[in-house]
Amino acid sequence: MTARLHDRLFALCGVLFVVLELGGAFLAMATGKTHSLTVSSTTSDVATAIAHPVGAGVWVGAYLEIVSVCFFLAFAAWFADKPGGRLLRPL
């Protein structure tokens, strides 16, 4: 694999991260009510969320967001190794 192809592949990973992250978030929001639970939610809020499960579209959106993180990790490792990144190389 040439260096140019290598760079283009990992740059594509960065683009895919953004597309999948936004697509997953918008899909989850558009297909059904998502739960808005936080650390400070009461037990009755948690019980209501468990009693009313979300639809399949919300799960697909969540999985797309998880897959996008894998693309981000590949992009971040590549970017850190580039000469401008200087994160993985000593100064």
Side-chain angles (χ1 to χ4, degrees):
M1 182 182 298
T2 65
R4 183 172 186 263
L5 182 62
H6 189 259
D7 289 345
R8 291 174 67 106
L9 178 67
F10 282 102
L12 178 65
C13 285
V15 172
L16 284 174
F17 159 70
V18 172
V19 169
L20 288 175
E21 181 69 31
L22 292 175
F26 289 139
L27 179 68
M29 288 187 291
T31 58
K33 183 184 179 318
T34 58
H35 300 300
S36 58
L37 297 175
T38 62
V39 174
S40 63
S41 296
T42 63
T43 55
S44 63
D45 291 340
V46 174
T48 303
I50 292 172
H52 299 96
V54 295
V58 175
W59 284 106
V60 171
Y63 289 134
L64 283 176
E65 291 185 42
I66 290 171
V67 169
S68 76
V69 171
C70 298
F71 283 109
F72 173 74
L73 291 175
F75 171 76
W78 167 77
F79 187 73
D81 191 44
K82 295 303 290 176
R86 296 233 186 241
L87 292 176
L88 298 180
R89 295 181 183 167
L91 294 175

